[in-house]
């Protein structure tokens, strides 16, 4: 107790900050490459259709990771961003006729604006209130859209074409690849940000706003940045969804969507990108199978149960298992065995 | 000598209570300046006003010749005023190194494109950043803990990490709020040495303590706060002899 | 004038139902800092038990069953789920209650279907004429039940036992040293909030008709009401919820029926930005 200032002698056995193993990046790149050629390997319409939906879900779920996991902003407003993107895509690409190569970026811009707006409105509040304010945002946008004839009212809009580079984006393979492109872009951005100044600023904002400000971090600015980026990508996901569904109606703002993404993010682990991606794929597949087997009415019940049980018994989600002390200790002991116990 | 920080007539009221009443402080460049006073004298409130953490009801703050009254804390910090907190405010679930690297926030600038896409430039800047932080950790004898999570460090070392994070920002004024609180005697001595060496290395330090002994021996200047007012200000030997200080502070050092 | 009186009465009825849930929130929030979003779903289940599931049983049995089930759900969900999570992370516990309310809603939807079902008021379909105001028996019943329950709540909290509960809100550790069993008190408060939720569900059924997800929006709107008045005190939460009911009904009557959702949530955002502690709340920031 007297030498608390001297280096701890227990350094070797102490828990270390989680670090990605050497193998993980290689696995990631291989999986990413396989994902690109997958539609060629498995040339099946239904499969590709499902895959394109999965990719859209992954994008949306990762915006949740960005906001909740990195910035520590517990937002339930993803549906508002997603829905705004869906309507924006129909108006910009479907009705105005701007090609998706440019149009999707305009959709992203709309989403970023919505996200930042949501950020500005809600950032004066914290935690619970912030979660509910962002949720309220969704209800407001839904209510406004439902009552606007211009956007088709409660029936929504059908009979539009979403094009990308001159081709129709409802072709599952193309939709999948375009979605995958945006997904990879988002993954690269998240990974880069995490290792950069902005990532540390977000971490600081999340862990201790007071301390963050004491080292010159404008916490508001970084939260807004997170809202902007999340909004942009959630909107793109919404835009791609219109090409998938060929219809857009106020249900894109619904609690169903919020709940699905929330379940994915919580079960996957808010702080874990791989966890969220894996769970997004698994749950989308599950949902699709449930529909095939006529069990789709149980899907939301199960999502709700997953949220409750995960928060109760596995608060860090499945991704948290990768960094939990016990798993880390086990990894260390295995490594030690391989390297003659240097660690 | 150049004055780096000057606060005039600072006042803060909470409801009907005046926590700090028309208080002044002047800190010279490269000085090790102490702010002392019994518990509840308003020291932390005073410093919170100076560093922009708390709002100001009256008075002015001048930092490096600029009027910074009422600026928010992140703005103060980006101008070069770093601080630690009485109750530790660390990024608990992060490594020591990552805590300290965050401290260098204001010195890192590569623009958003290099943030969103990890370019060679980002990599270069980040590597330099990491090396500087490791060097600082070496100096503070923290290098062995660089990769450990802050949450699992013993108390004394956590306080040191917090200081390291503030130092990493290379502040022109370093404000430490009771860094010795809760440390055993030998650690307090080591802390004193660290503070003196910081001051020798050209840092300006404003340190808050209610423990008068530590500051008397190391400080160049002292400001004494009691019940929200400044009752003495000057070199330690003069302050020590001030009858008001003896009455308000030393006279009841038993409860300090 | 007649429209105005009519709208005020309707607003008070709506507001009273919101206030029943809001009172439940405030009772729990002041004691534990936890906001139980599942109260809305408990209300919904109470409604289904009273009007849909067991039509062959006598009314009084169905009502009692609704109240008992709501109490059990309230207490059990706290004891086995929320409490353990709330100790570590309050926000997670709140999100959990949100998830739990979805579970209850979906459970009911699977059993009873998603189509809204009409519910017949236990007080009949009669309408009374009081001066220029014509008011249904059911609406009057809502007001009467509301007043009775709020008065009972006030009595409980003014009594000696209530004083010690309030002491507990102020300082939990102090209460422990004084020998107030905080854990048992909290369980009791959860049971109390269950009664209020069930009452809200039973009373709202004949007005809105029964649908599985009615609880989710009821929970959110009641929360807005509680925030409007101030969640930090039970009385202000109740008044806020009644105010919101009035505001919403007047807005729907005079301005627009279509945009009432926008109004409710715009009020919510506005209050959080301008007065986070509520219109009547003290200036000290509400901690969540």
């Amino acid at each position: 107790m007297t030498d608390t200032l001297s280096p701890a002698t227990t350094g070797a056995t102490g828990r270390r900050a989680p670090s990605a193993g050497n193998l993980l990046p290689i696995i990631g790149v291989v999986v990413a490459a396989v994902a690109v050629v997958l539609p060629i390997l498995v040339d099946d319409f239904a499969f590709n259709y499902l895959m394109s939906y999965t990719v859209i879900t992954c994008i949306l779920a990762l915006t949740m990771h960005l906001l909740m996991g990195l910035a520590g902003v517990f937002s339930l407003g993803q549906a508002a961003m997603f829905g705004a993107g869906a309507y924006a895509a129909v108006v910009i690409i479907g009705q105005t006729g701007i090609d998706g190569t440019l149009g999707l970026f305009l959709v992203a811009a709309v989403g970023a604006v919505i996200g930042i707006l949501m950020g500005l409105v809600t950032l004066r509040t914290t935690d619970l209130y912030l979660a509910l304010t962002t949720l309220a945002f969704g209800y407001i946008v839904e209510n406004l859209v439902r009552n606007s004839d211009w956007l088709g009212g409660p029936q929504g809009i059908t009979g539009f074409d979403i094009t990308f580079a001159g081709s129709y984006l409802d072709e599952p393979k193309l939709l999948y690849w375009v979605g995958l492109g945006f997904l990879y872009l988002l993954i690269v951005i998240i990974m880069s940000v995490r290792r950069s100044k902005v990532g540390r600023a977000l971490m600081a904002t999340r862990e201790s706003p007071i301390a963050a400000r004491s080292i010159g971090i404008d916490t508001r600015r970084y939260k807004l940045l997170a809202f902007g980026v999340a909004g942009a990508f959630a909107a793109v996901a919404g835009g791609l969804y219109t090409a998938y569904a060929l219809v857009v109606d106020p249900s894109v703002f619904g609690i169903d969507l919020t709940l699905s993404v929330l379940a994915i993010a919580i079960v996957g682990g808010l702080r874990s990108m791989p966890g969220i991606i894996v769970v997004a794929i698994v749950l989308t597949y599950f949902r699709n199978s449930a529909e095939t087997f006529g069990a789709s009415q149980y899907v939301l019940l199960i999502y709700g149960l997953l949220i409750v049980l995960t928060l109760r018994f596995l608060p860090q989600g499945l991704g948290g298992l990768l960094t939990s002390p016990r798993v880390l200790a086990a990894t260390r002991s295995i490594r030690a065995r391989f390297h003659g116990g240097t660690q | 000598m150049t004055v780096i920080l000057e606060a005039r007539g600072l006042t803060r009221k909470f409801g009907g209570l005046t926590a700090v009443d028309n208080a002044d402080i002047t800190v010279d460049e490269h000085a090790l300046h102490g702010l002392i006073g019994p518990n509840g004298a308003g020291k932390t409130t005073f410093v919170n006003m100076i560093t922009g953490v708390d709002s100001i009801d009256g008075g002015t703050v001048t930092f490096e010749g600029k009027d910074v009254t009422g600026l928010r804390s992140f703005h103060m910090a980006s101008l070069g005023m770093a601080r630690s907190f009485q109750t530790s405010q660390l990024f608990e679930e992060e490594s020591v190194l990552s805590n300290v690297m965050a401290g260098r926030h204001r010195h890192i600038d590569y623009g958003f494109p290099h943030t969103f896409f990890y370019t060679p430039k980002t990599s270069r800047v980040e590597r330099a950043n990491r090396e500087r932080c490791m060097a600082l950790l070496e100096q503070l004898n923290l290098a062995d803990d660089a990769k450990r999570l802050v949450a699992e460090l013993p108390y004394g070392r956590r306080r040191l990490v917090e200081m390291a994070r503030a130092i990493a920002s290379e502040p022109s004024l370093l404000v430490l709020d009771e860094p010795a609180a809760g440390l055993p005697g030998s650690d307090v001595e080591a802390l004193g040495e660290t503070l003196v060496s910081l001051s020798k290395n050209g840092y300006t330090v404003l340190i808050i303590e209610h423990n008068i002994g530590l500051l008397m021996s190391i400080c160049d200047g002292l400001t004494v706060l009691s019940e929200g007012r400044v009752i003495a200000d000057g070199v330690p030997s003069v302050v020590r002899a001030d009858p008001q200080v003896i009455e308000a502070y030393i006279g009841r050092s038993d409860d300090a | 004038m007649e429209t105005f009186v009519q709208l005020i009465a309707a607003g008070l009825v709506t507001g009273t139902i919101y206030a029943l849930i809001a009172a439940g929130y405030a009772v729990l929030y002041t004691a534990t800092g936890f906001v139980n979003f599942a109260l809305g779903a408990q209300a919904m289940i109470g409604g289904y038990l009273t009007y849909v599931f067991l039509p062959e049983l006598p009314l009084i049995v169905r009502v009692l069953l609704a109240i008992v089930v709501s109490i059990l759900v309230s207490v059990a969900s706290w004891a086995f789920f929320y409490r353990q999570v709330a100790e570590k992370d309050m926000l997670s516990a709140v999100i959990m209650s949100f998830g739990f309310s979805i579970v209850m809603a979906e459970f009911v939807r699977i059993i009873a279907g998603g189509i809204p079902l009409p519910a017949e008021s236990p007080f009949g379909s009669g309408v009374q004429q009081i001066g220029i105001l014509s008011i249904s028996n059911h609406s009057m019943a809502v007001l009467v039940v509301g007043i009775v329950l709020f008065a009972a709540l006030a009595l409980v909290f003014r009594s000696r036992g209530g004083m010690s509960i309030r002491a507990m809100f102020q300082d939990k550790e102090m209460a422990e040293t004084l020998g107030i069993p905080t854990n048992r008190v909290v369980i009791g408060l959860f049971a109390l909030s269950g009664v209020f939720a069930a009452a809200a569900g039973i009373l709202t059924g004949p007005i809105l008709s029964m649908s599985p997800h009615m609880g989710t929006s009821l929970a959110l709107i009641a929360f807005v009401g509680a925030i409007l008045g101030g969640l930090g005190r039970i009385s202000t939460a109740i008044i806020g919820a009644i105010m919101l009911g009035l505001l919403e009904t007047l807005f729907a009557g005079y301005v627009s029926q279509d945009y009432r959702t926008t109004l409710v949530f715009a009020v919510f955002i506005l209050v959080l930005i301008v007065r986070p502690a509520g219109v009547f709340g003290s200036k000290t920031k509400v901690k969540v």
Side-chain angles (χ1 to χ4, degrees):
Chain A
M1 192 58 214
T2 47
D3 63 351
T4 42
L5 268 173
S6 64
T9 46
T10 53
T13 52
R15 181 155 62 116
R16 302 230 156 218
S19 65
N22 302 331
L23 225 54
L24 222 57
I26 302 168
I27 297 173
V29 170
V30 171
V31 170
V34 170
V36 173
V37 294
L38 203 57
I40 302 171
L41 297 178
V42 187
D43 199 2
D44 175 70
F45 184 86
F47 179 75
N48 290 337
Y49 194 60
L50 174 63
M51 288 297 287
S52 63
Y53 183 68
T54 310
V55 165
I56 293 168
T57 312
C58 282
I59 296 175
L60 192 59
L62 281 191
T63 65
M64 208 90 160
H65 165 62
L66 180 66
L67 270 180
M68 309 214 283
L70 298 192
V73 174
F74 209 109
S75 158
L76 295 177
Q78 251 62 21
M81 300 167 174
F82 180 88
Y87 274 93
V90 170
V91 172
I92 293 171
I93 306 171
Q95 293 178 337
T96 314
I98 297 171
D99 189 77
T101 40
L102 171 64
L104 282 174
F105 288 95
L106 294 177
V107 168
V110 170
V113 170
I114 296 266
I116 290 171
L117 208 66
M118 198 186 283
L120 283 174
V121 171
T122 57
L123 277 182
R124 293 197 44 181
T125 62
T126 50
D127 290 355
L128 169 65
Y129 286 173
L130 190 138
L132 295 170
T133 320
T134 49
L135 190 63
F137 220 87
Y139 275 88
I140 290 178
V141 180
E142 197 260 1
N143 189 231
L144 294 178
V145 169
R146 186 178 288 278
N147 288 298
S148 105
D149 297 333
W150 175 56
L151 294 173
Q155 277 77 43
I157 309 173
T158 49
F160 51 81
D161 286 319
I162 303 291
T163 56
F164 190 88
S167 310
Y168 291 117
L169 200 53
D170 56 358
E171 208 288 300
K173 244 190 268 183
L174 180 62
L175 181 58
Y176 171 72
W177 275 322
V178 172
L180 201 64
F182 278 101
L183 177 63
Y184 286 176
L185 182 65
L186 181 57
I187 291 176
V188 166
I189 288 177
I190 289 176
M191 287 175 73
S192 302
V193 161
R194 270 221 299 238
R195 296 161 67 196
S196 76
K197 165 188 172 153
V198 174
R200 278 193 304 274
L202 289 173
M203 171 279 286
T205 304
R206 176 186 78 219
E207 297 278 322
S208 167
I210 296 171
R213 288 191 285 268
S214 86
I215 47 179
I217 294 166
D218 183 353
T219 50
R220 244 174 86 85
R221 182 163 165 246
Y222 285 100
K223 280 189 184 176
L224 281 181
L225 178 72
F227 262 111
V229 176
F233 278 92
V236 168
L240 295 174
Y241 177 77
T242 57
Y244 169 86
L246 293 174
V247 54
V248 59
D249 63 49
S251 73
V252 289
F253 299 102
I255 198 91
D256 182 336
L257 182 89
T258 306
L259 187 74
S260 314
V261 193
L262 191 65
I264 291 168
I266 287 176
V267 176
L270 296 180
R271 303 272 280 275
S272 164
M273 185 158 75
I276 288 181
I277 292 177
V278 168
V279 173
I281 294 170
V282 170
L283 283 190
T284 309
Y285 183 77
F286 159 76
R287 187 173 198 149
N288 187 65
S289 315
E291 271 157 27
T292 319
F293 292 112
S296 59
Q297 62 164 334
Y298 298 105
V299 168
L300 285 186
L301 176 73
I302 289 165
Y303 281 11
L305 279 173
L306 281 176
I307 291 177
V308 172
L309 295 176
T310 308
L311 287 175
R312 173 71 175 82
F313 298 108
L314 201 66
Q316 303 293 313
L318 292 176
L321 286 178
L322 293 174
T323 53
S324 81
R326 242 187 303 163
V327 176
L328 282 181
T331 324
R332 251 199 310 277
S333 82
I334 293 167
R335 267 197 210 137
R337 228 171 287 158
F338 274 101
H339 300 288
T342 45
Q343 264 281 313
Chain B
M1 238 194 252
T2 333
V3 170
I4 192 161
L5 173 78
E6 189 173 29
R8 286 280 161 263
L10 282 190
T11 303
R12 181 78 176 106
K13 293 179 181 134
F14 295 110
L17 192 96
T18 306
V20 175
D21 187 5
N22 206 21
D24 300 343
I25 195 168
T26 306
V27 180
D28 292 328
E29 199 167 7
H30 308 309
L32 188 53
H33 194 99
L35 173 64
I36 59 173
N39 280 328
K43 300 184 297 284
T44 295
T45 309
F46 189 33
V47 160
N48 280 350
M49 281 192 283
I50 291 171
T51 54
V53 172
D54 205 341
S55 56
I56 297 176
D57 290 331
T60 57
V61 183
T62 314
F63 180 57
E64 293 188 308
K66 285 188 288 279
D67 181 16
V68 295
T69 314
L71 289 187
R72 293 197 290 164
S73 66
F74 80 86
H75 202 156
M76 294 284 201
S78 64
L79 292 174
M81 196 192 282
R83 68 167 292 176
S84 72
F85 294 87
Q86 198 175 342
T87 49
S88 94
Q89 294 281 348
L90 284 159
F91 311 130
E92 299 284 339
E93 294 297 314
E94 295 287 325
S95 70
V96 170
L97 181 63
S98 145
N99 268 266
V100 176
M101 281 175 76
R104 288 186 50 77
H105 183 80
R106 73 188 188 105
H107 295 292
I108 298 167
D109 187 18
Y110 33 64
F112 279 128
H114 297 281
T115 294
F116 286 153
F117 303 98
Y118 204 82
T119 61
K121 184 183 177 187
T122 323
S123 168
R124 209 166 52 240
V125 175
E126 285 300 334
R127 201 179 317 122
N129 182 22
R130 181 182 302 266
E131 278 160 14
R132 289 191 80 132
C133 290
M134 278 310 294
L136 174 65
L137 290 177
E138 293 278 357
Q139 277 175 23
L140 290 173
N141 217 358
L142 273 167
D144 288 345
D145 290 336
K147 291 216 164 122
R148 294 183 73 194
L149 294 186
V150 166
E152 51 182 27
L153 290 183
Y155 180 77
R157 301 193 66 71
R158 294 160 53 90
R159 307 259 21 182
L160 202 55
V161 173
E162 198 169 357
M163 221 159 93
R165 186 180 62 195
I167 296 169
S169 73
E170 294 170 35
S172 32
L173 173 66
L174 178 60
V175 182
L176 302 172
D177 193 350
E178 303 212 7
L183 292 188
S186 57
D187 281 0
V188 175
E189 253 170 62
L191 177 73
E193 281 162 30
T194 310
L195 292 174
V196 170
S197 82
L198 275 176
S199 160
K200 282 205 186 106
N201 283 316
Y203 280 99
T204 312
V205 184
L206 172 60
I207 173 170
I208 306 165
E209 262 307 324
H210 69 263
N211 174 356
I212 202 162
L214 172 69
L215 295 197
M216 280 293 173
S217 55
I218 61 169
C219 283
D220 305 308
L222 280 178
T223 302
V224 186
L225 209 60
S226 176
E227 289 169 3
R229 289 165 201 263
V230 173
I231 55 167
D233 189 282
V235 295
S237 54
V238 174
V239 168
R240 189 201 296 268
D242 191 304
Q244 259 190 296
V245 175
I246 294 168
E247 197 215 311
Y249 194 92
I250 299 168
R252 21 169 249 187
S253 61
D254 45 74
D255 58 41
Chain C
M1 184 63 198
E2 207 180 312
T3 327
F4 181 72
V5 172
Q6 214 60 51
L7 285 174
I8 291 286
L12 283 175
V13 170
T14 315
T16 302
I17 289 168
Y18 295 162
L20 288 169
I21 303 280
Y25 285 144
V27 163
L28 300 180
Y29 180 80
T30 45
T32 62
F34 171 64
V35 177
N36 186 4
F37 265 96
L39 286 182
Q42 285 170 224
M44 178 271 301
I45 287 194
Y48 269 88
L49 282 169
T50 307
Y51 301 111
V52 182
F53 288 151
L54 307 155
E56 65 280 1
L57 291 180
L59 178 72
I60 183 72
V61 177
R62 285 180 272 147
V63 168
L64 284 177
L65 194 66
I67 294 171
V68 169
V69 167
S70 182
I71 291 175
L72 286 179
V73 169
S74 230
V75 170
S77 58
W78 169 254
F80 299 119
F81 287 94
Y82 305 144
R83 190 171 60 83
Q84 292 83 348
V85 176
E87 277 165 4
K88 278 173 259 156
D89 181 5
M90 196 52 86
L91 182 61
S92 287
V94 177
I95 297 299
M96 202 169 162
S97 74
F98 177 72
F100 198 51
S101 75
I102 301 289
V103 170
M104 286 192 262
E106 285 297 310
F107 183 71
V108 169
R109 193 179 59 82
I110 289 166
I111 297 174
I115 304 155
L117 302 169
E120 209 172 290
S121 170
F123 309 99
S125 55
V127 175
Q128 304 297 320
Q129 193 71 32
I130 307 168
I132 52 171
L133 170 71
S134 60
I135 183 168
S136 71
N137 288 351
H138 185 78
S139 295
M140 290 220 291
V142 171
L143 295 176
V144 170
V145 173
I147 289 167
V148 168
L149 282 176
F150 295 142
L153 193 63
L155 282 178
V156 168
F157 277 86
R158 293 261 152 77
S159 70
R160 257 192 50 169
M163 289 307 225
S164 62
I165 297 172
R166 283 200 297 196
M168 192 190 109
F169 298 167
Q170 305 296 325
D171 188 341
K172 210 168 256 177
E173 275 171 39
M174 181 69 88
E176 293 280 5
T177 55
L178 286 176
I180 298 163
T182 53
N183 213 3
R184 263 190 10 230
V185 171
V186 169
I187 292 281
L189 294 177
F190 266 86
L192 194 64
S193 72
V195 175
F196 276 77
I202 296 165
L203 293 174
T204 200
I207 300 174
L208 291 177
S209 74
M210 306 298 306
S211 67
H213 279 282
M214 64 190 278
T216 320
S217 51
L218 184 60
L220 270 173
I221 297 176
F223 185 72
V224 175
I227 290 293
L228 176 62
L231 189 55
R233 272 166 57 197
I234 297 167
S235 55
T236 54
I238 291 173
I239 294 169
I242 293 174
M243 270 169 45
L244 185 70
L246 283 170
L247 196 66
E248 191 191 336
T249 314
L250 289 175
F251 180 85
Y254 285 119
V255 186
S256 160
Q257 173 71 29
D258 293 337
Y259 290 101
R260 58 199 285 176
T261 312
T262 301
L263 171 87
V264 168
F265 291 108
V267 165
F268 179 54
I269 291 173
L270 207 67
V271 172
L272 283 185
I273 291 172
V274 182
R275 280 196 72 98
V279 176
F280 310 110
S282 60
K283 270 194 180 157
T284 47
K285 217 176 158 198
V286 181
K287 53 174 199 308
V288 179

